[in-house]
Amino acid sequence: MNDAIVIVGASMGGLRVAESLRRFGYLGPIKIFGDEPHLPYNRPPLSKEVLADEVNHDAVAFAIRDSIGEIEWMLDCPITGIDTSAKTVTDKHGHKHNYSALVIATGLSAKELNRLPEGTAGVHVLRSLDHAINLRKELKPGAKVVIVGAGFIGCEVAATAQTLGCAVSVVGSGNVPLNRPLCEVFGAEVMRRQQEQGVKFFMNSGIADVAVGTEAGSPKVSAIKLVDGQQLDCDVVLFAIGSTPNTQWLASSGIDIVDGVHTNNSMQALDLSGKVVPDVYAIGDVARFTNPLFDGLARRVEHWNIPTETAKRAAKVIAAKFVSGEDFELALAEPFAPMPSFWSNQFEMQILGYGSPALATASKLIEGSLSEEFVFGYYRDDKLVGVAGIGMKNALLSYRMQMLQNQ
Amino acid sequence: MKIKVDMQKCQHYGQCVFEAPDIFKLNDQDKLEYTAEADESQRANVEAAADVCPMQAIFIES
Ligand SMILES: Cc1cc2nc3c(=O)[nH]c(=O)nc-3n(C[C@H](O)[C@H](O)[C@H](O)COP(=O)(O)OP(=O)(O)OC[C@H]3O[C@@H](n4cnc5c(N)ncnc54)[C@H](O)[C@@H]3O)c2cc1C
Ligand code: SF4
């Protein structure tokens, strides 16, 4: 086998695949293609530290261990197409690259509002380091900031910007922020604590229009009009309204990309009839995979530990095929049931969770008190499928153990 | 092997605890405690812990 293992996506997931392939004994060529000009870096600080301090790539770059050996990093070089029968991918320059195995690790892009005039200043999304640095420049004390979207990223940026002295308003569609990932009662408490710090919330709402003025001759956002007719004047708008999987380049591949890349529990990509596409894998945020921890439905999971878990899984399977002579079928049959873990920092709040609260049909406070530290349990048909809380990290850890044992 | 956690960065999430429970633990105040010197046999676990640390605060110094 002389063709390289090709990884598309030079972020956490892609890096962890390469590291794990080496750990499982693969010594052959590895090429990693990245759309961004940067080596892999950690995204969670983008909504927190990177907005608050004048830091650059060095502060968030992942450490790359010597044991990773020789890697061909093809940065600023997105892949635009794939031919699964010839086993090649095409890069933006039109060059074709053969692969022995291909790992799709292209993650997500933040949804944008397309109907604004080209180049409107003051309008932002947040997914990449360059986005964060652009947003940071505008988060000056006194700046009026509107955040559209009351999920984790919206709430985190709200806290960071308010702390920097901006006047922050959050617009969301539910009764409270974070109701989907955490439930109404938990979300209401997060909102209460954010309001105590001065953040304003406009819930059960949405935007009807964006008013654009001019500054120095170019278009610049001036206000957000809400569906109920209210107008929020602003200098800066952040759209934190969700993300879409980066799968455009797979459009004519036959791979099932209905909502991210559909894979089985071994991270092997599937076609629309559910058959394995030979030697193509997907991992991280872009993968829609089955997790027997919960049930047999394939889902995308946008939590930070999943790229690492799925990268190790894919690398192990690939190594079984190409390196160790270990039985490929045995590697495929190994159990893989990663426990999602997620956290969020907002002001003094440290929210931490395990499992999948979004799957629950019922939730209740199981430890602590709502105004201080607490743990919520999330249940589906009486089975604990997730926990989340503020503080109480040891308690959360023991519920994590309990969920693993109950599988 | 020598291990160092940057306590300025560490947010005491305890993700390292489940990858290398012999090295890392959260004390009764939910604060991280760890062993700075570990046997070579722990390397794979400590590397896994460094990988899953959200703050990327764990450094393997030798
Ligand atoms: C602002 C922010 C804050 C977050 N905070 C938290 C948090 O507090 N807690 C938590 O649990 N999770 C958090 N997350 C989620 C976490 O960061 C993601 O789950 C993780 O980054 C996903 O990693 P990935 O490698 O799968 O994808 P990504 O990190 O999205 O990487 C995909 C890479 O592929 C590249 N790419 C895309 N298309 C192509 C192409 N055609 N060719 C080549 N390269 C391509 C992209 O440019 C990108 O660099 C946060 C995410 C963001 C954006
Ligand atoms: S995982 Fe990292 S941040 Fe969390 S307790 Fe361990 S060292 Fe600290």
Side-chain angles (χ1 to χ4, degrees):
Chain A
M1 183 198 59
N2 296 316
D3 288 334
I5 293 180
V6 170
I7 299 168
V8 186
S11 183
M12 173 165 62
L15 172 65
R16 297 289 182 242
V17 173
E19 287 176 344
S20 308
L21 283 169
R22 296 299 189 218
R23 192 169 302 140
F24 294 121
Y26 173 76
L27 301 171
I30 298 179
K31 279 188 197 171
I32 306 183
F33 289 87
D35 194 355
E36 298 181 64
H38 309 290
L39 281 168
Y41 59 86
N42 199 17
R43 288 183 205 276
L46 299 183
S47 48
K48 306 154 197 129
E49 295 83 350
V50 178
L51 296 180
D53 302 311
E54 291 285 319
V55 296
N56 56 19
H57 180 261
D58 290 348
V60 286
F62 282 113
I64 296 183
R65 295 194 188 106
D66 295 343
S67 53
I68 200 170
E70 186 100 342
I71 300 281
E72 200 174 338
W73 292 99
M74 311 282 279
L75 300 177
D76 211 353
C77 187
I79 293 296
T80 54
I82 176 174
D83 181 338
T84 54
S85 26
K87 293 200 173 172
T88 60
V89 290
T90 307
D91 68 24
K92 74 163 175 188
H93 307 291
H95 299 145
K96 283 193 175 15
H97 306 266
N98 297 331
Y99 64 79
S100 56
L102 177 76
V103 183
I104 300 167
T106 45
L108 312 174
S109 290
K111 283 188 189 150
E112 304 195 26
L113 203 68
N114 297 323
R115 56 173 199 256
L116 296 175
E118 176 90 16
T120 304
V123 179
H124 297 264
V125 293
L126 182 57
R127 180 78 195 177
S128 70
L129 178 62
D130 296 352
H131 291 153
I133 290 172
N134 283 336
L135 177 58
R136 177 171 76 199
K137 290 182 196 144
E138 301 199 44
L139 296 181
K140 303 199 181 89
K144 293 193 280 297
V145 178
V146 173
I147 295 169
V148 183
F152 280 117
I153 290 178
C155 289
E156 287 169 7
V157 176
T160 308
Q162 188 77 24
T163 307
L164 289 171
C166 303
V168 179
S169 303
V170 177
V171 178
S173 55
N175 288 325
V176 298
L178 298 170
N179 57 321
R180 220 173 36 92
L182 294 177
C183 84
E184 296 268 329
V185 185
F186 198 144
E189 177 59 17
V190 172
M191 180 161 83
R192 189 188 69 75
R193 295 190 194 192
Q194 286 245 5
Q195 284 167 330
E196 235 173 45
Q197 303 288 335
V199 177
K200 295 195 174 62
F201 282 84
F202 297 84
M203 300 307 297
N204 291 313
S205 188
I207 57 165
D209 203 4
V210 180
V212 178
T214 48
E215 192 181 88
S218 349
K220 181 168 194 315
V221 67
S222 62
I224 295 288
K225 289 179 186 147
L226 303 183
V227 284
D228 65 4
Q230 285 188 82
Q231 174 160 322
L232 307 176
D233 294 336
C234 59
D235 307 303
V236 183
V237 182
L238 173 72
F239 286 98
I241 48 178
S243 341
T244 39
N246 292 325
T247 51
Q248 305 82 336
W249 61 284
L250 297 164
S252 55
S253 64
I255 297 171
D256 175 357
I257 51 165
V258 171
D259 172 28
V261 180
H262 188 195
T263 78
N264 59 19
N265 180 248
S266 304
M267 315 321 296
Q268 294 177 291
L270 304 174
D271 67 16
L272 283 162
S273 64
K275 278 211 308 285
V276 167
V277 181
D279 298 312
V280 180
Y281 300 79
I283 59 124
D285 278 11
V286 77
R288 175 164 51 96
F289 67 103
T290 46
N291 186 346
L293 192 61
F294 305 112
D295 52 33
L297 278 184
R299 293 187 185 84
R300 287 194 295 111
V301 186
E302 296 177 27
H303 291 317
W304 189 87
N305 75 321
I306 293 298
T308 297
E309 297 278 349
T310 50
K312 287 182 181 168
R313 169 65 162 177
K316 187 140 198 233
V317 171
I318 296 169
K321 175 150 182 185
F322 291 122
V323 191
S324 54
E326 190 194 323
D327 195 326
F328 185 51
E329 297 302 321
L330 270 182
L332 290 177
E334 253 182 45
F336 176 63
M339 173 67 73
S341 86
F342 58 93
W343 74 93
S344 178
N345 269 10
Q346 304 168 25
F347 298 110
E348 297 297 301
M349 281 180 271
Q350 293 203 324
I351 300 170
L352 176 63
Y354 297 108
S356 195
L359 297 182
T361 49
S363 60
K364 62 170 192 255
L365 188 93
I366 50 178
E367 273 194 52
S369 76
L370 200 57
S371 57
E372 287 161 43
E373 295 199 324
F374 59 85
V375 177
F376 265 80
Y378 301 87
Y379 303 85
R380 183 162 72 172
D381 308 326
D382 293 334
K383 185 183 167 197
L384 189 66
V385 290
V387 287
I390 294 184
M392 308 205 84
K393 292 169 186 150
N394 264 309
L396 286 161
L397 262 183
S398 47
Y399 286 110
R400 178 183 184 274
M401 280 303 286
Q402 190 182 320
M403 284 191 286
L404 285 172
Q405 282 154 7
N406 287 351
Q407 257 185 76
Chain B
M1 63 184 299
K2 282 200 166 56
I3 302 158
K4 187 163 175 234
V5 178
D6 180 342
M7 295 313 279
Q8 300 285 88
K9 280 192 174 173
C10 172
Q11 301 267 3
H12 313 279
Y13 288 112
Q15 309 290 297
C16 49
V17 177
F18 41 84
E19 297 292 348
D22 296 336
I23 308 295
F24 302 97
K25 71 173 206 271
L26 292 180
N27 68 18
D28 294 344
Q29 276 81 51
D30 282 343
K31 293 279 180 275
L32 177 73
E33 283 175 4
Y34 70 102
T35 318
E37 286 262 8
D39 190 78
E40 200 49 38
S41 62
Q42 286 285 339
R43 185 170 293 270
N45 292 347
V46 176
E47 283 187 355
D51 285 354
V52 301
C53 170
M55 307 313 296
Q56 295 290 293
I58 301 174
F59 298 91
I60 299 167
E61 299 204 308
S62 66

